[in-house]
Amino acid sequence: MAIEPFHYDLMLEAIREAEASIAQGGLPIGAVLTRDRKIIARGHNNRVQEKNVILHGEMSCLRDAGLISFHDTVMYTTLSPCSMCAGALGLFKVSLAVIGESVTFPGSKDILDKFGIPWIDLADDRSIAMMKTWRSNPANERLWQGDIGN
């Protein structure tokens, strides 16, 4: 199946969110929420910055969106969502999850499947390289392990 080029353009916006998190001392995970291919919310992992364990990239993005209907939205996230984030995307019934990569972390696509949320894994080299580079620092690897509950 061919992936439409606009998905890569919108993923670049999620990558920019991840880069903002890195600049703030956080983890390199970013997300954007779209409706009709227009960004309506942004977020990045803020767990370290706000000392809040649930502020993963997708959760921060959902928080930024506020109290809206999500059934016609698409979530772009640089990394395959964890079980918490996948559950939130399912709970709020986003129409599609577009994943930057699942090479460095397989995530919980099975939870998206259980909720009937379709997903596309772009296997995006930019997302893969960003996470691999960031995790190559031992101090960052410790942050990462805390982010996924290890």
Side-chain angles (χ1 to χ4, degrees), residues 62 68-71 73 87-95 115 117:
L62 292 171
I68 66 168
S69 173
F70 292 92
H71 74 279
T73 63
L89 297 179
L91 177 68
F92 295 112
K93 298 177 178 47
V94 300
S95 65
F115 276 103
I117 305 298

Side-chain angles (χ1 to χ4, degrees), residues 52-100:
N52 185 323
V53 297
I54 66 167
L55 286 182
H56 287 193
E58 300 91 337
M59 302 299 274
S60 293
C61 188
L62 292 171
R63 179 178 72 167
D64 185 54
L67 298 175
I68 66 168
S69 173
F70 292 92
H71 74 279
D72 61 346
T73 63
V74 176
M75 174 69 74
Y76 289 81
T77 178
T78 58
L79 188 65
S80 187
C82 70
S83 56
M84 174 181 67
C85 295
L89 297 179
L91 177 68
F92 295 112
K93 298 177 178 47
V94 300
S95 65
L96 175 67
V98 181
I99 298 164

Side-chain angles (χ1 to χ4, degrees), residues 13 17 20 22 27 34 37 39 42 45 59 62 64 68 72 75 79 112 117 123 129 131 133 137 141 146:
E13 293 301 314
E17 285 296 318
I22 294 169
L27 286 84
T34 67
R37 298 185 189 174
I39 295 172
R42 295 173 169 274
N45 189 298
M59 302 299 274
L62 292 171
D64 185 54
I68 66 168
D72 61 346
M75 174 69 74
L79 188 65
L112 296 174
I117 305 298
M131 183 58 100
T133 299
N137 177 327
E141 182 62 21

Side-chain angles (χ1 to χ4, degrees), residues 85-130:
C85 295
L89 297 179
L91 177 68
F92 295 112
K93 298 177 178 47
V94 300
S95 65
L96 175 67
V98 181
I99 298 164
E101 65 105 346
S102 60
V103 171
T104 64
F105 178 68
S108 296
K109 295 182 288 293
D110 60 320
I111 293 175
L112 296 174
D113 291 338
K114 286 180 184 173
F115 276 103
I117 305 298
W119 52 270
I120 299 169
D121 188 337
L122 298 178
D124 184 75
D125 290 335
R126 301 167 298 180
S127 296
I128 296 166
M130 180 174 55

